Amino acid sequence: MTFKRGISAGMVALVSCSVLASGGVPVNAAAGGRLVAVKAAGKCGNWKRAGSLPGKWSVAKDTCSIFGHAGYTVSYAWAAEKGSLCVKVKGLKGGKMKWFDAGCGKKGQITKVPWGNAADYKAIKVKGAALLRWR
């Protein structure tokens, strides 16, 4: 078996996964070794379905974690398939979870929700009788 100098793309992914699994901080070699936000690939960016009940806040959580960095922000988008609703989105301010108002209606989006240097999952709170998609 022969080894070449350098790191192949497959090896970078393996190193990144092992670093994350051990609780280490992800570093992107392509970004000159700077710390960068890492988001899992695949279904993490896809639209998710949720439902809500009238008069009660319902929480829907993402199954993918986001690894941020200082100054990092996230965006949310939502669209009611049936009904109308009010939405709050999860952000992190000073390392603590905070709900930010995203508005009411049949669809909407909010950008630049504070996240910062933390690893956590996105979540939304929804109030109103509706079926919706969100990301």
Side-chain angles (χ1 to χ4, degrees):
M1 185 187 293
T2 339
F3 292 97
K4 292 183 180 178
R5 292 190 81 165
I7 299 174
S8 70
M11 291 173 71
V12 170
L14 178 61
V15 170
S16 297
C17 290
S18 65
V19 168
L20 295 176
S22 67
V25 179
V27 175
N28 186 341
R34 293 189 326 263
L35 297 178
V36 295
V38 177
K39 188 172 180 182
K43 296 182 181 182
C44 295
N46 293 348
W47 287 89
K48 294 151 225 26
R49 294 188 182 274
S52 64
L53 301 171
K56 181 181 179 188
W57 287 101
S58 303
V59 177
K61 299 176 185 179
D62 198 346
T63 57
C64 299
S65 292
I66 296 173
F67 296 82
H69 57 79
Y72 188 70
T73 60
V74 295
S75 300
Y76 290 84
W78 51 273
E81 293 177 345
K82 295 195 183 233
S84 185
L85 55 141
C86 291
V87 176
K88 291 185 179 190
V89 297
K90 177 181 174 180
L92 302 169
K93 199 161 190 177
K96 298 191 184 222
M97 185 184 76
K98 181 178 178 185
W99 292 103
F100 294 86
D101 287 323
C104 297
K106 293 199 172 281
K107 68 179 180 175
Q109 72 177 24
I110 184 170
T111 59
K112 298 191 179 181
V113 176
W115 199 266
N117 189 22
D120 208 342
Y121 57 88
K122 290 171 75 172
I124 62 170
K125 271 187 178 181
V126 183
K127 188 176 188 180
L131 296 174
L132 69 136
R133 294 179 308 126
W134 70 281
R135 64 175 174 181

